[in-house]
Amino acid sequence: MPEYQAPLRDMRFLIDHVFDFHAGYAALGASDASPDMVNAILEEGAKFCENVLAPLNRSGDEEGCHFDNGAVTTPKGFKQAFAQYVEGGWHGLAADPAYGGQGLPQSLGLVIGEMVGSSNTSWGMYPGLTHGAMSAIHAHGSDEQKQLYLRKLTAGQWTGTMCLTEAHCGTDLGLIKTRAIPRADGSYAVSGSKIFISAGEHDMSDNIIHLVLAKLPDAPAGTKGISLFIVPKFLLDAAGEAGERNALSCGSIEHKMGIKASATCVLNFDGARGFLLGEANKGLNCMFTMMNHARLGTGMQGLCLGEASFQGAVRYANDRLQMRSLSGPKSPDKAADPIIVHPDVRRMLLTMKAFNEGNRALAYFTAQLLDVAHLSSDAAQRQDAENLLAFLTPICKAFMTETGLEVTNHGMQVFGGHGYIREWGMEQLVRDCRIALIYEGTNGIQALDLLGRKVLGSQGKLLLGFTKIVHRFCGAHAEHPQLKAHVAQLDGLNRQWGELTTRLGMAALKNPDEVGAAAQDYLMYSGYIVLAYLWLRMALAARQQLDAGQGDSDFARAKLATCEFYFKRLLPRTAAHLGAIEAGSDCLMQLPARCFAL
Amino acid sequence: MPEYQAPLRDMRFLIDHVFDFHAGYAALGASDASPDMVNAILEEGAKFCENVLAPLNRSGDEEGCHFDNGAVTTPKGFKQAFAQYVEGGWHGLAADPAYGGQGLPQSLGLVIGEMVGSSNTSWGMYPGLTHGAMSAIHAHGSDEQKQLYLRKLTAGQWTGTMCLTEAHCGTDLGLIKTRAIPRADGSYAVSGSKIFISAGEHDMSDNIIHLVLAKLPDAPAGTKGISLFIVPKFLLDAAGEAGERNALSCGSIEHKMGIKASATCVLNFDGARGFLLGEANKGLNCMFTMMNHARLGTGMQGLCLGEASFQGAVRYANDRLQMRSLSGPKSPDKAADPIIVHPDVRRMLLTMKAFNEGNRALAYFTAQLLDVAHLSSDAAQRQDAENLLAFLTPICKAFMTETGLEVTNHGMQVFGGHGYIREWGMEQLVRDCRIALIYEGTNGIQALDLLGRKVLGSQGKLLLGFTKIVHRFCGAHAEHPQLKAHVAQLDGLNRQWGELTTRLGMAALKNPDEVGAAAQDYLMYSGYIVLAYLWLRMALAARQQLDAGQGDSDFARAKLATCEFYFKRLLPRTAAHLGAIEAGSDCLMQLPARCFAL
């Protein structure tokens, strides 16, 4: 396994210089998150992830989870690591102090989440799903429900799940068959079978609180007839402790391509006692309130695994001796040059670096918006942040995972044949990453969400909220002595983006299939432009540091060189996506379904 | 596992209408390959692959190979399938009749090879490596060596390997440490350790004939001091049968991401008796004579797995009901529409179809050149074919595997969450495909071979050999009533290709790193243009069939629609590659190696 070191320098560069989290925290009254506190959390979080989680990553993949007669055992060390995580206070870092959390900003939770995901994505699924369940109960639970569940969940004594998918429906939740029948005592009898339930059953906590989508007997058809229920594995006794076993069981666990240490369960509910969470028939809305966070978290997996892969690849490229540089030997005293001298190896490494650091900037930019949306006392500011979040979330989820998969594949390729061997750990990163393009709404669904629901659904308003920021930025830096060429390139793309969107809006009025035909390329096209903006912000900050003689000049120069690489070698991909978008829907729709395979 | 059906209709379309294999065979005097014989071979080959090999594909992946104290056991059924393959005469199909082969053209062997690879890539490695060893012995062996080894290899009684890589060198074979010390009897004592030896040890044959790269005591340094040796697992007795065990052993097998049923072995040679094959110190040249074939075979794996993935995805997309078409319900009587109605699902399916059918055309086009190079009595014609083969081989290997990986990933994505579950078989295709981008020369090496050695190394002559064909084709069809827009697009790209290459040649004269910086994007750029040419040839043939009222009009229309999709939605990717190439090497080379990770 490539040894993981938390990229603290890059994290601090973003936190301190590019986005100034500290000013943000001060403005939002998050006074606990002082610069010293932030720094201590980064240091300690890095130690925990490097020393406790990372060593369990490959062994967890090899061992996988064990299923025996309804019980799931996680790989060796997982349970102990979770206990240490809880003990160290990591589980409640960004949770509400009213229920025992530390109340630190979401953005700080995300920074730690990156370290967790890079060191052990499978392990991170268990607390990750719990945080999702906590958000939903926090947002929609009654006071009693919050008291009953949130304290134990925050303490990590219990964990949580989200039970949405059934065998015949994942994307199309309107088709779910799980039923909830009211009981005399106000609870419900939940019956049905759910699949793909991450952390659905395991040995890491005393109880598991399932959030289950189900239909009431009189529910309207489709997505407007779905309700959300709290269904604990063990029903609570009078003292609020885990008591009698509920009528639900784990039927099996899936054998998957990757994230093998994450238990992906079939859960059978056989008249299990459940409790309505939020309003009846508004279950999907309840789920959606935590969707932004969950989707950003899934996007992060692309970054996390990309970072782990990059660290392995750079080390290998410096160590592995093979062939001579075409421009003359670089290590004449050795049998061959390290492969990092070869332009094509550098192309792969710089592609990885440019996506990882760009994606990290995107994640932090978005996390700051999460803070504002949660903490600001100014309603207009909150609404602006919500709008930008709505726009950026599908891009984070899909663009960061598509590029994350590309990055992990490059990392494997740098290793040559050794990359394909399990022992080196590079292929696991590809396998673990692959699911992130699928779950939490496939990337195709994200693309439809971006173009259809968000951009065109708001008559372009949500796009304009972002392009305005870019427009102002380009105006302010149009004359920058070193960066003006890149600023001009971004400015041009930003205009093209708006014009393209207008054309798509017109075309969609005539033919709704134009939206689906353009969506995936539109999302990727948008992602490249968003990252170009963020790369320029990083380059500006690096330039300022260099000009002021502050910081590490090697680091700043690497930022500038990677920015240049991004603009010259990756941003041209927008042309391919633009071409595909402009081809329209006819070339997709004309072939009758029966003629695809003959 | 997606059920495999050999795509006989598409194969026949290429064989009969696009490339007219029959005329080619007649001209080359390959009279055994009559149209009836070709047809019978296609039918029987399809049956064997569908019924014998395909059912062992997923079980082979799950079971993998077993290693016990030097012995390797292949998964259940593999040995029996190999016996059936040999019994059915498939093993010697394209082998020399002088040693018991059927002497059918290489191109026909490749068509059957596609079926084998689509139904069970891991299994196909065993005969595949044997064919490689047979080619090398056939080209470079003495008459005695040919008599001793080729007959048993052709009969499938013995199998073969190629032993090149060592732990510290794969790409850079000049660094190998395996030594061959002359013995008094004219044989050699071979000592060293080889890794990544496919089919290096197994239970499918009576003997294994290893072809081993090693250095003689007085060998010059580097690649000019490498010799090739025949090192049998069992030495031959006086009757030419497998006798005494040679001093070599399998130390372990690798645990890999995919092709798990293919035994990838560490082989330890401890003074094993070996026999020089070809001239001393010319071992690498001997290996290169079979490289074209082996690299085309590796490229085929991209097509094979892509085809298997496509078949699964199309079936699933027609069966799976999820959401309604945005343009109104298409299956109003069902709970939802089949997902093939959604433009984004069609984008994935058509991308798969366009790459698979385009790659198949590329493979068949190249296979015809192999026939000419092997069989033509006209030296000039042979040389022309060799030149085109030299040019197209790295494109086949790298472009077909890069796009094959994209295709298998799309196939998995079409399945949503089910694509990630092993049971459905779609993720295995991704894992099995991934190695093809690495072995037989990484795709980065293929790219350097194309741009550096082939194109610029011939002062553009090898490129011109292909662009001339395209130029003539475009001239001949510039006024085609339905296809002229595509012809013009291809013509423009063909010119741009030549101009770009001239600029690259000039830049490389000043700075050799320009070659490495451009190589990978240049290869992909070239691949897209090559496929555009082949797609137009297919479209022309389909158009002719439609106009003449011949053949299946659905099939012909699907060809035309897929051609249009390729030109409109995939060919624009050339713009991204062009942009990256034109960025030059500075943005890759300026960052000091120490600054990549900080």
Side-chain angles (χ1 to χ4, degrees):
Chain A
M1 203 63 206
E3 195 190 322
Y4 174 68
Q5 284 190 298
L8 292 178
R9 192 183 302 230
D10 199 46
M11 291 173 159
R12 287 191 180 117
F13 173 71
L14 294 175
I15 291 173
D16 298 343
H17 300 294
V18 180
F19 298 120
D20 197 352
F21 275 23
H22 311 299
Y25 294 159
L28 294 170
S31 56
D32 282 358
S34 67
D36 282 352
M37 172 60 106
V38 170
N39 201 39
I41 287 174
L42 289 181
E43 300 272 353
E44 291 305 310
K47 275 188 212 161
F48 176 78
C49 293
E50 291 165 4
N51 300 331
V52 178
L53 297 185
L56 300 175
N57 191 39
R58 213 180 91 70
S59 58
D61 180 66
E62 288 292 336
E63 184 183 344
C65 289
H66 308 276
F67 176 81
D68 181 25
N69 196 23
V72 174
T73 312
T74 54
K76 190 158 176 265
F78 268 47
K79 185 177 170 162
Q80 293 76 5
F82 189 69
Q84 276 183 266
Y85 178 79
V86 166
E87 176 70 27
W90 299 108
H91 198 266
L93 189 80
D96 188 344
Y99 307 101
Q102 293 176 62
L104 288 162
Q106 301 284 330
S107 54
L108 207 50
L110 176 130
V111 173
I112 299 300
E114 182 195 322
M115 299 182 194
V116 170
S118 284
S119 51
N120 198 325
T121 291
S122 281
W123 185 90
M125 297 290 289
Y126 298 91
L129 269 294
T130 304
H131 290 139
M134 284 160 65
S135 303
I137 295 173
H138 198 275
H140 303 288
S142 65
D143 284 344
E144 190 197 356
Q145 287 173 332
K146 291 188 201 179
Q147 287 297 342
L148 278 175
Y149 299 106
L150 283 183
R151 202 165 285 277
K152 299 276 193 186
L153 287 167
T154 302
Q157 199 175 334
W158 299 350
T159 59
T161 74
M162 303 199 286
C163 304
L164 287 70
T165 303
E166 300 179 9
H168 64 290
C169 64
T171 297
D172 196 354
L173 291 170
L175 302 177
I176 64 167
K177 294 178 180 165
T178 299
R179 289 287 178 275
I181 313 289
R183 301 160 72 116
D185 63 359
S187 70
Y188 295 81
V190 177
S191 297
S193 189
K194 296 285 181 179
I195 66 166
F196 299 162
I197 310 308
S198 298
E201 177 57 41
H202 57 79
D203 55 357
M204 282 158 71
S205 66
D206 300 340
N207 200 359
I208 302 175
I209 309 305
H210 303 290
L211 300 193
V212 184
L213 288 184
K215 292 194 167 186
L216 293 169
D218 56 350
T223 53
K224 288 179 181 149
I226 300 178
S227 305
L228 185 59
F229 296 87
I230 297 174
V231 188
K233 174 179 168 186
F234 293 101
L235 291 164
L236 277 47
D237 63 18
E241 300 294 329
E244 181 193 348
R245 177 80 193 226
N246 205 350
L248 63 97
S249 61
C250 176
S252 61
I253 57 175
E254 305 288 352
H255 300 284
K256 310 184 298 294
M257 180 189 212
I259 54 164
K260 294 189 179 187
S262 166
T264 305
C265 303
V266 173
L267 284 186
N268 299 314
F269 297 88
D270 302 305
R273 192 176 297 248
F275 309 93
L276 185 67
L277 178 62
E279 282 181 59
N281 300 328
K282 294 282 169 72
L284 221 50
N285 297 15
C286 296
M287 279 289 176
F288 269 108
T289 59
M290 57 177 170
M291 224 49 131
N292 280 349
H293 204 156
R295 290 184 167 178
L296 175 57
T298 306
M300 288 295 292
Q301 295 185 328
L303 164 61
C304 293
L305 293 159
E307 173 66 29
S309 184
F310 178 69
Q311 294 192 8
V314 169
R315 228 170 276 135
Y316 191 80
N318 275 297
D319 290 346
R320 175 80 172 175
L321 306 177
Q322 208 81 171
M323 311 295 282
R324 291 294 182 190
S325 164
L326 287 179
S327 56
K330 299 293 176 282
S331 302
D333 52 321
K334 294 189 176 146
D337 289 334
I339 61 173
I340 199 168
V341 306
H342 304 306
D344 192 59
V345 172
R346 286 172 161 255
R347 175 188 62 82
M348 294 189 275
L349 293 174
L350 281 164
T351 302
M352 300 172 80
K353 188 171 168 70
F355 279 135
N356 285 344
E357 295 177 15
N359 283 338
R360 183 174 295 119
L362 172 56
Y364 283 34
F365 181 81
T366 309
Q368 263 195 320
L369 296 170
L370 272 181
D371 287 345
V372 174
H374 278 111
L375 300 176
S376 175
S377 53
D378 178 339
Q381 204 185 30
R382 280 203 309 274
Q383 188 57 54
D384 284 351
E386 290 284 7
N387 287 347
L388 276 169
L389 273 175
F391 173 74
L392 288 173
T393 297
I395 297 176
C396 288
K397 196 284 183 178
F399 186 82
M400 289 172 69
T401 55
E402 296 280 343
T403 55
L405 184 64
E406 177 179 340
V407 166
T408 53
N409 267 305
H410 284 312
M412 196 176 148
Q413 192 74 15
V414 168
F415 275 66
H418 300 282
Y420 199 67
I421 306 299
R422 295 217 302 265
E423 178 185 356
W424 291 80
M426 297 300 285
E427 59 83 41
Q428 182 190 342
L429 303 173
V430 177
R431 288 187 287 105
D432 285 357
C433 190
R434 186 62 185 85
I435 187 58
L437 286 75
I438 298 175
Y439 63 13
E440 206 53 43
T442 65
N443 286 1
I445 290 296
Q446 304 299 325
L448 278 176
D449 180 50
L450 175 69
L451 180 57
R453 234 167 64 95
K454 305 292 174 61
V455 172
L456 300 182
S458 71
Q459 277 80 41
K461 204 184 94 190
L462 292 191
L463 172 64
L464 203 61
F466 189 80
T467 53
K468 258 191 200 163
I469 294 174
V470 177
H471 181 71
R472 277 200 300 270
F473 176 85
C474 291
H477 302 287
E479 304 302 327
H480 192 286
Q482 290 92 8
L483 298 171
K484 63 185 169 191
H486 293 339
V487 173
Q489 198 180 342
L490 174 61
D491 198 35
L493 281 169
N494 197 46
R495 282 169 211 274
Q496 189 188 62
W497 195 8
E499 291 158 10
L500 170 68
T501 307
T502 305
R503 286 201 302 280
L504 280 172
M506 303 295 285
L509 287 178
K510 290 187 207 151
N511 178 359
D513 277 335
E514 293 293 342
V515 178
Q520 176 76 12
D521 282 288
Y522 183 86
L523 185 144
M524 293 304 290
Y525 172 90
S526 303
Y528 281 107
I529 299 176
V530 170
L531 241 61
Y533 161 69
L534 292 163
W535 260 112
L536 270 187
R537 287 195 58 177
M538 290 193 279
L540 268 180
R543 200 64 253 174
Q544 280 163 3
Q545 287 200 308
L546 269 183
D547 293 345
Q550 289 168 346
D552 181 324
S553 62
D554 269 357
F555 178 86
R557 286 208 187 83
K559 275 285 171 209
L560 291 167
T562 311
C563 178
E564 191 187 338
F565 174 86
Y566 180 81
F567 272 78
K568 288 191 169 172
R569 308 260 330 185
L570 299 179
L571 204 47
R573 296 185 186 182
T574 50
H577 292 296
L578 181 67
I581 293 166
E582 291 186 329
S585 70
D586 285 353
C587 66
L588 293 177
M589 304 312 291
Q590 64 181 336
L591 192 62
R594 70 171 191 282
C595 299
F596 274 73
L598 286 161
Chain B
M1 203 65 206
E3 196 190 323
Y4 174 67
Q5 284 190 297
L8 291 179
R9 191 184 304 231
D10 199 46
M11 290 173 160
R12 288 193 179 116
F13 173 69
L14 294 175
I15 291 173
D16 298 342
H17 300 293
V18 181
F19 299 120
D20 198 351
F21 275 22
H22 311 298
Y25 294 160
L28 294 169
S31 55
D32 282 358
S34 67
D36 282 351
M37 171 62 105
V38 169
N39 201 37
I41 287 175
L42 289 180
E43 300 273 353
E44 291 304 312
K47 275 187 211 159
F48 177 78
C49 293
E50 292 166 3
N51 299 330
V52 179
L53 297 184
L56 299 175
N57 191 38
R58 213 181 91 71
S59 57
D61 180 66
E62 289 292 335
E63 184 184 345
C65 288
H66 308 277
F67 176 81
D68 181 25
N69 197 24
V72 174
T73 311
T74 53
K76 190 157 176 270
F78 268 47
K79 186 177 169 161
Q80 292 76 5
F82 188 69
Q84 276 184 265
Y85 178 79
V86 166
E87 176 70 26
W90 299 108
H91 198 266
L93 189 80
D96 189 344
Y99 308 100
Q102 294 177 62
L104 287 161
Q106 300 285 329
S107 54
L108 208 49
L110 177 130
V111 173
I112 299 300
E114 183 196 320
M115 299 182 195
V116 170
S118 284
S119 52
N120 198 326
T121 291
S122 281
W123 185 91
M125 298 290 288
Y126 299 90
L129 269 292
T130 304
H131 290 139
M134 284 160 66
S135 303
I137 296 172
H138 198 274
H140 303 289
S142 64
D143 284 346
E144 190 197 356
Q145 287 172 334
K146 292 188 199 179
Q147 288 297 342
L148 278 175
Y149 299 105
L150 284 183
R151 201 164 285 278
K152 299 276 194 186
L153 287 167
T154 301
Q157 198 175 336
W158 299 351
T159 60
T161 74
M162 303 199 286
C163 304
L164 287 71
T165 302
E166 301 180 9
H168 64 292
C169 64
T171 298
D172 195 355
L173 291 170
L175 302 176
I176 63 165
K177 293 178 182 165
T178 299
R179 290 288 177 273
I181 313 289
R183 302 160 71 117
D185 64 358
S187 70
Y188 294 82
V190 177
S191 297
S193 188
K194 296 285 180 179
I195 66 167
F196 299 162
I197 309 308
S198 298
E201 177 58 40
H202 57 79
D203 56 356
M204 283 158 71
S205 66
D206 300 340
N207 200 0
I208 302 176
I209 308 305
H210 303 290
L211 300 193
V212 184
L213 288 184
K215 291 194 167 187
L216 293 169
D218 56 349
T223 52
K224 287 178 181 147
I226 300 178
S227 304
L228 185 59
F229 297 87
I230 297 175
V231 188
K233 175 178 169 186
F234 293 101
L235 291 163
L236 276 47
D237 64 19
E241 298 294 330
E244 180 193 348
R245 176 80 193 227
N246 205 348
L248 64 94
S249 61
C250 175
S252 63
I253 58 174
E254 305 288 354
H255 301 284
K256 309 185 298 295
M257 182 190 211
I259 54 166
K260 294 188 178 186
S262 166
T264 305
C265 302
V266 174
L267 284 187
N268 299 313
F269 297 88
D270 302 305
R273 194 176 296 248
F275 309 93
L276 185 66
L277 178 62
E279 284 181 59
N281 300 327
K282 294 280 170 72
L284 221 51
N285 297 15
C286 296
M287 279 289 175
F288 269 107
T289 59
M290 55 177 170
M291 224 47 133
N292 280 350
H293 204 153
R295 289 183 168 178
L296 175 56
T298 307
M300 288 295 292
Q301 295 184 327
L303 164 61
C304 293
L305 293 159
E307 173 66 31
S309 185
F310 178 70
Q311 294 192 8
V314 170
R315 227 170 279 136
Y316 191 79
N318 275 298
D319 290 347
R320 176 79 172 175
L321 305 177
Q322 208 80 172
M323 313 295 283
R324 289 293 181 193
S325 164
L326 287 180
S327 56
K330 299 292 176 283
S331 302
D333 52 321
K334 293 188 176 149
D337 289 333
I339 60 173
I340 200 167
V341 306
H342 304 306
D344 193 59
V345 172
R346 288 173 158 254
R347 175 189 62 83
M348 294 189 276
L349 293 174
L350 282 164
T351 302
M352 300 172 80
K353 188 172 169 69
F355 279 135
N356 286 345
E357 294 177 16
N359 283 337
R360 183 172 296 119
L362 172 56
Y364 283 33
F365 181 81
T366 309
Q368 263 195 317
L369 296 170
L370 271 180
D371 287 345
V372 174
H374 278 110
L375 301 176
S376 175
S377 53
D378 177 339
Q381 205 186 30
R382 281 204 308 273
Q383 188 58 52
D384 283 350
E386 289 284 6
N387 287 347
L388 275 169
L389 273 175
F391 172 74
L392 288 173
T393 297
I395 296 176
C396 288
K397 196 282 182 178
F399 185 83
M400 289 171 70
T401 56
E402 295 281 343
T403 54
L405 184 64
E406 178 178 339
V407 167
T408 54
N409 266 304
H410 285 311
M412 197 176 148
Q413 192 75 17
V414 169
F415 274 67
H418 300 282
Y420 199 66
I421 307 300
R422 295 218 301 265
E423 179 184 355
W424 290 81
M426 297 300 285
E427 60 84 39
Q428 181 190 342
L429 303 174
V430 177
R431 289 187 288 104
D432 285 357
C433 190
R434 185 63 184 84
I435 188 58
L437 287 75
I438 296 176
Y439 63 13
E440 207 53 44
T442 65
N443 285 0
I445 291 296
Q446 304 299 325
L448 278 176
D449 180 49
L450 175 69
L451 181 58
R453 233 167 65 96
K454 305 290 174 60
V455 173
L456 300 181
S458 71
Q459 276 80 42
K461 205 184 94 190
L462 292 191
L463 172 64
L464 203 61
F466 189 80
T467 52
K468 258 192 202 161
I469 293 174
V470 177
H471 181 71
R472 276 199 300 270
F473 176 85
C474 290
H477 302 286
E479 305 303 328
H480 192 285
Q482 291 93 5
L483 297 170
K484 62 185 170 191
H486 293 340
V487 173
Q489 199 181 343
L490 173 61
D491 198 35
L493 281 169
N494 197 45
R495 283 167 211 273
Q496 188 189 62
W497 196 8
E499 292 158 9
L500 170 68
T501 306
T502 305
R503 288 202 301 280
L504 280 173
M506 304 294 285
L509 287 177
K510 292 188 205 151
N511 178 0
D513 278 335
E514 293 294 342
V515 178
Q520 176 77 12
D521 282 289
Y522 183 86
L523 186 144
M524 293 304 292
Y525 172 89
S526 303
Y528 282 106
I529 299 175
V530 170
L531 241 62
Y533 160 69
L534 293 163
W535 260 113
L536 270 187
R537 287 196 57 178
M538 290 193 279
L540 268 180
R543 199 66 252 174
Q544 280 163 3
Q545 287 200 309
L546 270 183
D547 292 345
Q550 290 168 344
D552 180 326
S553 63
D554 270 356
F555 178 84
R557 286 210 186 82
K559 275 286 171 207
L560 290 166
T562 311
C563 179
E564 191 187 338
F565 174 86
Y566 181 80
F567 271 79
K568 287 192 170 172
R569 308 262 327 187
L570 298 178
L571 204 48
R573 296 185 186 181
T574 50
H577 292 297
L578 182 67
I581 293 167
E582 291 187 327
S585 70
D586 285 354
C587 66
L588 292 177
M589 304 313 290
Q590 64 181 334
L591 192 63
R594 69 171 191 284
C595 298
F596 273 73
L598 285 162

